[in-house]
Short mmCIF file of all heavy atoms in Angstrom, two decimals:
data_model
loop_
_atom_site.label_atom_id
_atom_site.label_comp_id
_atom_site.label_asym_id
_atom_site.label_seq_id
_atom_site.Cartn_x
_atom_site.Cartn_y
_atom_site.Cartn_z
N TYR A 293 -29.07 54.58 -169.22
CA TYR A 293 -29.42 53.17 -169.45
C TYR A 293 -29.50 52.44 -168.11
O TYR A 293 -29.00 52.93 -167.08
CB TYR A 293 -28.42 52.51 -170.39
CG TYR A 293 -28.68 52.85 -171.84
CD1 TYR A 293 -27.82 53.67 -172.55
CD2 TYR A 293 -29.81 52.34 -172.49
CE1 TYR A 293 -28.08 53.98 -173.90
CE2 TYR A 293 -30.07 52.65 -173.82
CZ TYR A 293 -29.21 53.46 -174.51
OH TYR A 293 -29.47 53.77 -175.83
N SER A 294 -30.12 51.25 -168.14
CA SER A 294 -30.38 50.53 -166.88
C SER A 294 -29.09 50.18 -166.14
O SER A 294 -29.10 49.97 -164.93
CB SER A 294 -31.20 49.27 -167.16
OG SER A 294 -30.56 48.52 -168.17
N ASN A 295 -27.95 50.15 -166.86
CA ASN A 295 -26.68 49.87 -166.17
C ASN A 295 -26.09 51.12 -165.53
O ASN A 295 -24.97 51.11 -165.03
CB ASN A 295 -25.67 49.24 -167.13
CG ASN A 295 -25.28 50.19 -168.27
OD1 ASN A 295 -25.83 51.29 -168.37
ND2 ASN A 295 -24.35 49.78 -169.10
N PHE A 297 -25.37 53.97 -167.12
CA PHE A 297 -24.57 54.79 -168.03
C PHE A 297 -25.42 55.94 -168.62
O PHE A 297 -26.51 55.70 -169.15
CB PHE A 297 -24.02 53.91 -169.16
CG PHE A 297 -23.19 54.68 -170.14
CD1 PHE A 297 -21.95 55.19 -169.78
CD2 PHE A 297 -23.66 54.92 -171.43
CE1 PHE A 297 -21.19 55.91 -170.69
CE2 PHE A 297 -22.91 55.64 -172.35
CZ PHE A 297 -21.67 56.14 -171.97
N ALA A 299 -25.99 58.01 -171.39
CA ALA A 299 -25.61 58.07 -172.81
C ALA A 299 -25.91 59.44 -173.41
O ALA A 299 -25.23 59.89 -174.33
CB ALA A 299 -26.33 56.99 -173.59
N PRO A 318 -18.99 61.09 -183.33
CA PRO A 318 -18.28 59.82 -183.44
C PRO A 318 -19.08 58.66 -182.84
O PRO A 318 -20.08 58.89 -182.14
CB PRO A 318 -16.99 60.06 -182.64
CG PRO A 318 -17.33 61.14 -181.69
CD PRO A 318 -18.38 61.98 -182.34
N SER A 319 -18.65 57.46 -183.12
CA SER A 319 -19.31 56.27 -182.59
C SER A 319 -19.44 56.38 -181.07
O SER A 319 -18.48 56.74 -180.39
CB SER A 319 -18.48 55.05 -182.98
OG SER A 319 -19.13 53.91 -182.55
N GLY A 320 -20.64 56.09 -180.57
CA GLY A 320 -20.85 56.08 -179.13
C GLY A 320 -21.21 57.43 -178.53
O GLY A 320 -21.38 57.55 -177.31
N CYS A 321 -21.37 58.47 -179.36
CA CYS A 321 -21.64 59.81 -178.81
C CYS A 321 -23.08 59.98 -178.35
O CYS A 321 -23.43 60.97 -177.72
CB CYS A 321 -21.29 60.90 -179.83
SG CYS A 321 -22.41 60.92 -181.24
N GLY A 322 -23.94 59.02 -178.71
CA GLY A 322 -25.33 59.07 -178.23
C GLY A 322 -26.34 59.49 -179.29
O GLY A 322 -27.51 59.68 -178.99
N LYS A 323 -25.91 59.60 -180.55
CA LYS A 323 -26.83 60.10 -181.58
C LYS A 323 -27.98 59.12 -181.85
O LYS A 323 -29.12 59.55 -181.99
CB LYS A 323 -26.09 60.49 -182.87
CG LYS A 323 -25.17 59.43 -183.42
CD LYS A 323 -24.21 60.04 -184.42
CE LYS A 323 -23.39 58.96 -185.11
NZ LYS A 323 -22.51 58.18 -184.19
N SER A 324 -27.68 57.81 -181.90
CA SER A 324 -28.77 56.85 -182.13
C SER A 324 -29.71 56.81 -180.93
O SER A 324 -30.92 56.70 -181.09
CB SER A 324 -28.23 55.44 -182.36
OG SER A 324 -27.38 55.43 -183.46
N THR A 325 -29.14 56.92 -179.74
CA THR A 325 -29.98 56.93 -178.53
C THR A 325 -30.96 58.10 -178.59
O THR A 325 -32.15 57.95 -178.32
CB THR A 325 -29.09 57.04 -177.28
OG1 THR A 325 -28.19 55.94 -177.26
CG2 THR A 325 -29.92 57.04 -176.01
N LEU A 326 -30.45 59.27 -178.99
CA LEU A 326 -31.29 60.47 -179.07
C LEU A 326 -32.40 60.25 -180.11
O LEU A 326 -33.58 60.54 -179.87
CB LEU A 326 -30.40 61.66 -179.45
CG LEU A 326 -30.85 63.06 -179.10
CD1 LEU A 326 -31.33 63.17 -177.67
CD2 LEU A 326 -29.68 64.04 -179.33
N GLU A 440 -28.53 56.61 -190.09
CA GLU A 440 -27.42 56.21 -190.96
C GLU A 440 -27.92 55.47 -192.20
O GLU A 440 -27.45 54.35 -192.47
CB GLU A 440 -26.42 55.33 -190.20
CG GLU A 440 -25.97 55.96 -188.90
CD GLU A 440 -24.46 56.07 -188.79
OE1 GLU A 440 -23.76 55.86 -189.79
OE2 GLU A 440 -23.99 56.41 -187.69
N HIS A 473 -22.46 59.45 -188.86
CA HIS A 473 -21.16 59.78 -188.29
C HIS A 473 -20.29 60.41 -189.36
O HIS A 473 -19.13 60.71 -189.14
CB HIS A 473 -20.50 58.52 -187.71
CG HIS A 473 -20.22 57.49 -188.75
ND1 HIS A 473 -21.14 56.51 -189.08
CD2 HIS A 473 -19.18 57.31 -189.57
CE1 HIS A 473 -20.66 55.78 -190.07
NE2 HIS A 473 -19.46 56.25 -190.39
P1 ATP B 844 -22.79 54.49 -183.32
O1 ATP B 844 -22.47 55.48 -184.41
O2 ATP B 844 -21.66 53.57 -183.04
O3 ATP B 844 -24.10 53.82 -183.50
P2 ATP B 844 -24.02 56.32 -181.45
O4 ATP B 844 -23.49 57.69 -181.37
O5 ATP B 844 -25.27 56.12 -182.21
O6 ATP B 844 -22.89 55.35 -181.98
P3 ATP B 844 -25.43 55.16 -179.23
O7 ATP B 844 -25.81 53.89 -179.92
O8 ATP B 844 -26.48 56.17 -179.04
O9 ATP B 844 -24.19 55.83 -179.97
O10 ATP B 844 -24.79 54.79 -177.83
C1 ATP B 844 -24.33 55.78 -176.95
C2 ATP B 844 -23.64 55.13 -175.78
O11 ATP B 844 -24.59 54.40 -175.01
C3 ATP B 844 -22.56 54.15 -176.17
O12 ATP B 844 -21.48 54.30 -175.28
C4 ATP B 844 -23.21 52.79 -175.99
O13 ATP B 844 -22.27 51.82 -175.63
C5 ATP B 844 -24.18 53.05 -174.86
N1 ATP B 844 -25.37 52.20 -174.95
C6 ATP B 844 -26.17 52.01 -176.02
N2 ATP B 844 -27.18 51.18 -175.74
C7 ATP B 844 -27.02 50.82 -174.45
C8 ATP B 844 -27.75 49.95 -173.55
N3 ATP B 844 -28.86 49.32 -173.94
N4 ATP B 844 -27.27 49.84 -172.29
C9 ATP B 844 -26.17 50.50 -171.89
N5 ATP B 844 -25.44 51.31 -172.68
C10 ATP B 844 -25.86 51.47 -173.94
#
Side-chain angles (χ1 to χ4, degrees):
Y293 280 110
S294 52
N295 64 356
F297 180 69
S319 183
C321 69
K323 52 196 187 297
S324 301
T325 301
L326 204 47
E440 308 234 11
H473 62 271

